[in-house]
């Protein structure tokens, strides 16, 4: 019983690592700068997911607070970058 | 039995995040990519938080999970809107 | 009676939101995982019938979460919302109008 649960937790960690690699490919390749902003937003969400899976892995609920901080900072960062891009366009 | 269902919900949430990043690779233009990331990612985070709060089962973890869910669902469309608006203003193609 | 009606609409709206959410995720997962892409992106202007800030927030938030639509821009002069759609068909605008009618009933 316990063994199946460990397999499920480790395989979901594996799935999240694969999706992190795919998001990094788009971050390097992305033609425009908006693609990179979107993929950075996705990477922040993937790291939130990895911390949640790690919380279950070590059986300690203290890391849930980090997820709150990452969700706040990722939203502020995305809005700041896109506002900066709009501002730069107006000045040009 | 309870632990197995928690694990299945966890794996389902991780798979939705994987779907979002496959969509980020496969779609052709940026606005379609944003469709994939803004929906599937928030749903994946929702499933992972449900799994965590079912696994621990204490009040404080459940309360923090509900707070994160409300925050993510309020801000994910706003972030997508902001990026899309800056892209539209730069490229100026609204048909 | 009026105070009893409002929570009823709010609960109904939450159930509607959750069903739309699950439906949109299934649609987008199906479209990403099948090898052949059948998307046809396009833009739609949706004329609004309200000017309240709360209604606008709820409407653009729900539009971003329903299958195949993403709210992009708000024009103050025309009082309408620019929506990016993935499946460009005739009945998309009718779906958006139905959502707007539901929100107008909620905030009235």
């Amino acid at each position: 019983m316990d063994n199946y649960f460990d397999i499920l937790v480790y395989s979901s960690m594996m799935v999240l690592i694969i999706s992190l690699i795919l998001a990094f490919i788009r971050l390097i390749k992305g033609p425009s700068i908006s693609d990179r902003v979107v993929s950075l937003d996705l990477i922040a969400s993937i790291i939130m997911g990895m911390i949640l899976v790690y919380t279950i892995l070590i059986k300690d609920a203290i890391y849930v607070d980090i997820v709150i901080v990452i969700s706040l900072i990722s939203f502020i960062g995305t809005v700041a970058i896109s506002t900066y891009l709009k501002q730069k366009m107006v000045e040009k | 039995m309870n632990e197995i269902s928690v694990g299945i919900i966890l794996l389902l949430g991780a798979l939705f995040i994987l779907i979002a990043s496959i969509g980020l690779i496969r779609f052709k233009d940026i606005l379609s990519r944003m469709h994939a990331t803004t929906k599937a990612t928030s749903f994946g985070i929702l499933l992972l938080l449900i799994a965590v709060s079912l696994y621990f089962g204490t009040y404080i973890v459940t309360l923090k999970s509900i707070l994160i869910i409300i925050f993510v669902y309020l801000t994910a469309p706003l972030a997508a809107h902001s990026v899309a608006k800056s892209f539209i203003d730069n490229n100026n193609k609204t048909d | 009676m009026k105070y009893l009606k409002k929570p009823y609409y709010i609960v109904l709206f939450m159930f509607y939101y959750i069903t739309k959410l699950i439906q949109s995720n299934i649609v987008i997962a199906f479209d990403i995982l099948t090898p052949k892409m059948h998307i046809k992106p396009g833009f739609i202007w949706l004329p609004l019938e309200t000017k309240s800030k709360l209604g606008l927030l709820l409407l653009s938030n729900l539009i971003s979460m329903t299958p195949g639509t993403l709210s992009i821009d708000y024009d103050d002069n025309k009082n309408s919302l620019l929506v990016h759609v993935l499946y460009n068909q005739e009945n998309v605008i009718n779906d958006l109008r139905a959502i707007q009618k539901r929100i107008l009933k909620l905030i009235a």
Side-chain angles (χ1 to χ4, degrees):
Chain A
M1 205 64 152
D2 208 26
N3 197 13
Y4 286 135
F5 180 68
D6 279 350
I7 290 173
L8 283 173
V9 174
Y10 278 108
S11 58
S12 50
M13 197 69 168
M14 203 71 187
V15 167
L16 285 176
I17 290 172
I18 294 170
S19 57
L20 188 61
I21 292 170
L22 291 179
F24 262 114
I25 291 174
R26 177 54 73 193
L27 178 67
I28 294 167
K29 236 170 74 175
S32 69
I33 195 159
S34 303
D35 285 294
R36 297 198 167 98
V37 177
V38 171
S39 87
L40 273 179
D41 199 17
L42 181 61
I43 284 172
S45 300
I46 292 171
I47 289 173
M48 280 162 66
M50 285 170 81
I51 290 171
L52 288 173
V53 175
Y54 188 68
T55 307
I56 286 186
L57 202 64
I58 65 165
K59 300 181 174 55
D60 191 358
I62 199 165
Y63 288 116
V64 180
D65 296 347
I66 303 177
V67 178
I68 301 177
V69 176
I70 292 180
S71 69
L72 289 166
I73 289 184
S74 130
F75 169 65
I76 292 173
T78 308
V79 172
I81 294 174
S82 56
T83 309
Y84 163 71
L85 288 178
K86 222 183 316 180
Q87 205 86 30
K88 213 173 83 176
M89 196 57 209
V90 169
E91 280 171 10
K92 211 184 277 177
Chain B
M1 197 58 214
N2 195 14
E3 282 202 332
I4 299 294
S5 55
V6 167
I8 289 172
I9 295 175
L10 201 73
L11 186 60
L12 212 63
L15 282 177
F16 267 103
I17 295 179
L18 179 68
I19 284 171
S21 72
I22 293 174
L24 189 69
I25 295 286
R26 278 196 68 193
F27 279 129
K28 288 287 182 291
D29 66 314
I30 174 163
L31 291 171
S32 310
R33 279 174 203 147
M34 221 171 284
H35 277 277
T37 57
T38 187
K39 283 164 202 157
T41 309
S42 5
F43 196 61
I45 294 287
L46 171 75
L47 287 181
L48 290 179
L49 282 167
I50 287 174
V52 166
S53 56
L54 280 181
Y55 183 74
F56 289 106
T58 54
Y59 284 118
I60 188 76
V61 174
T62 311
L63 189 66
K64 279 173 190 168
S65 301
I66 291 172
L67 278 181
I68 299 171
I69 289 169
I70 291 173
F71 189 76
V72 165
Y73 270 93
L74 276 181
T75 58
L78 278 178
H81 169 91
S82 154
V83 175
K85 190 161 163 46
S86 82
F87 178 75
I88 288 289
D89 284 354
N90 279 356
N91 292 32
N92 213 352
K93 51 171 189 180
T94 55
D95 263 351
Chain C
M1 206 60 206
K2 191 184 162 201
Y3 296 103
L4 221 64
K5 226 170 204 172
K6 200 109 180 175
Y8 172 67
Y9 279 137
I10 291 175
V11 169
L12 211 67
F13 181 75
M14 279 179 70
F15 273 109
Y16 180 72
Y17 193 100
I18 291 169
T19 50
K20 277 286 178 193
L21 205 73
I22 294 170
Q23 183 192 357
S24 89
N25 279 291
I26 290 171
V27 166
I28 200 113
F30 179 76
D31 206 354
I32 288 171
L33 291 180
T34 47
K36 183 177 172 294
M37 290 257 165
H38 33 292
I39 61 171
K40 207 172 75 176
F43 292 95
I44 283 181
W45 281 101
L46 173 71
L48 297 177
E49 294 165 14
T50 176
K51 271 196 175 275
S52 80
K53 291 267 172 34
L54 179 66
L56 193 59
L57 173 71
L58 280 177
L59 183 63
S60 57
N61 210 323
L62 186 56
I63 280 175
S64 289
M65 283 301 165
T66 44
T69 52
L70 189 71
S71 62
I72 291 177
D73 202 353
Y74 171 64
D75 196 334
D76 213 355
N77 295 326
K78 287 195 284 184
N79 195 19
S80 55
L81 201 68
L82 181 65
V83 179
H84 180 258
V85 292
L86 268 188
Y87 314 101
N88 203 354
Q89 293 156 350
E90 290 297 319
N91 54 359
V92 174
I93 187 85
N94 291 328
D95 281 354
L96 296 179
R97 287 230 171 88
I99 292 170
Q100 187 182 6
K101 206 169 286 173
R102 200 172 275 264
I103 286 174
L104 283 182
K105 208 193 282 179
L106 180 72
I107 63 169

